[in-house]
């Protein structure tokens, strides 16, 4: 059973707390890592799948094939899933799906963002403490793993303690307290006195959060712990900026951290957009440097890796995974999903006689003036042909476009996430077969993987 006593913890952070960053934090010295907040209904439309190639457990969204949550054995005893919910029955259903894959479940009761509040989640639950307690009690009574919650303070120590005592009485194993009110932001001072007041008044571990302004090195973590009188400390922004804050032997240069992060992102087939976001938060103002601007233009994991001389590593791993038949974004199509309304077969598209090729449209590889559709239109006009037409099919959140040009049809078997990208992908297939774009260029663009 996971203990929350005397721990240094990676806090839940939206889009940051994905598998590569969690593993990096653990390897640097974190005792426990929290996932980003994940909403209950995302899991309820997902399917659990063991990934034989990555050796991970994946929860796959059955509307578009994206990974909602990915975990592995290295973190199994130390990862806590933070759930966004406002309904006890939904929360329990999700928690039972995850019970054997994570070390604990945390309910987010502290997020002040509009999305959470409008959905009755996050700090909105603190306006209805009876509902909050019912959710926690339902989970505590039915799970074999510990249940916790994360809150923000109220305006006074007394009001904060009053609510905390109600939450503690549900049987939760620990409570994380962010030392700011719902209306305060990072630029406001953290109220260590209120956290300390609560910590001294309850019996379960209190995890202090919100001290990143005061935490610049490993030793500062324990100064913040002493200031708050808490059992444990949870880090968000300090870890987001440089995850080696967890190292007892001192912090590492950000280039070293980025390289180690990127290797994990490649190893676990992390999405390029998520990997890019995490690195942006490490670079911060360095995004304005020449290298930073080159990085911002990247759209594939390979392009990002090239900035830090890891292009070879990414190419080798991706090639290895594809030869093994990895089930990732490149393999997503309606046949692989299980929509709740009907089972769709790609064969229903009737692609007989259509020239097919698996090509992905990477927007960053093209300027506004040389988009594939524009290139094809220009080639058609130059050679006296009628302009191509496009017929796009949509299944759930996936799109496939069939292009008709000069009595021949073309399509990409890569299902895109929007209609425009699907049309551009079909245009790339046509341009390749017309000899306008070479295979070498498609590989360079990241549009095909060899």
């Amino acid at each position: 059973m996971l203990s929350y006593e005397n721990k240094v913890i990676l806090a839940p952070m939206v889009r940051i707390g994905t598998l590569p960053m969690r593993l990096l934090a653990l390897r640097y010295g974190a005792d426990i890592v929290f996932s980003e907040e994940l909403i209950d209904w995302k899991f309820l439309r997902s399917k659990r799948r063991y990934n034989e190639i990555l050796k991970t457990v994946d929860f796959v969204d059955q509307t578009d094939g994206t990974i909602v949550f990915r975990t592995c054995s290295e973190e199994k005893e130390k990862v806590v899933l933070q759930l966004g919910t406002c309904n006890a029955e939904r929360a329990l259903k999700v928690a039972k799906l995850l019970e054997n894959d994570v070390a604990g479940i945390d309910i987010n009761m502290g997020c002040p963002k509009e999305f959470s509040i409008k959905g009755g989640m996050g700090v909105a639950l603190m306006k209805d403490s009876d509902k909050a307690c019912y959710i926690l009690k339902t989970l505590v009574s039915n799970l074999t793993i510990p249940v916790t919650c994360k809150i923000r303070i109220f305006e006074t120590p007394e009001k904060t303690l009053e609510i905390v005592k109600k939450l503690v009485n549900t049987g939760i194993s620990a409570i994380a307290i962010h030392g700011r009110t719902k209306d305060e932001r990072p630029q406001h001072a953290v109220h260590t006195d209120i956290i300390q007041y609560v910590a001294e008044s309850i019996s379960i571990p209190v995890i202090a959060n919100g001290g990143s302004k005061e935490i610049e090195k490993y030793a500062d973590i324990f100064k913040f712990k002493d200031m708050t009188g808490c059992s444990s400390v949870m880090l968000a922004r300090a870890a987001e900026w440089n995850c080696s804050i967890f190292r007892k032997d001192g912090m590492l240069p950000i280039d070293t951290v980025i390289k180690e992060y990127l290797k994990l992102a490649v190893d676990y087939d992390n999405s390029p957009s998520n990997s890019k976001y995490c690195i942006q938060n490490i670079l911060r103002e360095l995004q304005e440097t020449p290298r930073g601007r080159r990085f911002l233009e990247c759209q594939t994991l390979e392009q990002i890796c090239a900035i830090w001389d890891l292009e070879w590593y990414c190419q080798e791993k991706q090639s290895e995974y594809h030869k093994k038949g990895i089930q990732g974004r490149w393999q997503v199509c309606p046949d692989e999903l299980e929509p709740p309304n009907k089972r769709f077969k790609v064969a229903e598209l009737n692609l007989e006689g259509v020239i097919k090729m698996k090509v992905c449209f990477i927007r960053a590889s093209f300027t506004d003036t040389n988009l594939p559709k524009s290139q094809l239109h220009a080639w058609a006009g130059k050679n006296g042909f009628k302009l191509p037409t496009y017929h796009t099919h949509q299944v759930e959140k996936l799109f496939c476009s069939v292009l008709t040009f000069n009595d021949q049809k073309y399509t990409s078997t890569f299902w895109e996430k929007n209609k425009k990208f699907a049309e551009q992908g079909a245009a790339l297939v046509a341009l390749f077969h017309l000899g306008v774009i070479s295979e070498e260029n498609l590989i360079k663009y990241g549009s095909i993987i060899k």
Side-chain angles (χ1 to χ4, degrees), residues 332-356:
V332 172
C333 77
D335 283 357
E336 298 297 320
L337 307 179
E338 294 181 3
N341 50 358
K342 70 168 187 171
R343 181 79 171 167
F344 178 85
K345 295 291 183 185
V346 172
E348 294 175 16
L349 289 181
N350 187 23
L351 298 179
E352 186 178 347
V354 179
I355 293 177
K356 297 180 282 290

Side-chain angles (χ1 to χ4, degrees), residues 36-51:
E36 61 179 328
E37 179 196 21
L38 295 166
I39 309 304
D40 52 15
W41 52 261
K42 284 194 174 183
F43 280 103
L44 295 179
R45 70 184 191 199
S46 300
K47 182 179 180 181
R48 183 187 185 277
R49 181 180 70 197
Y50 182 72
N51 190 318

Side-chain angles (χ1 to χ4, degrees), residues 78-95:
K78 297 179 179 180
V79 63
V80 176
L81 189 288
Q82 188 183 66
L83 192 61
T85 188
C86 63
N87 180 279
E89 288 69 32
R90 282 203 308 270
L92 179 59
K93 193 171 181 180
V94 171

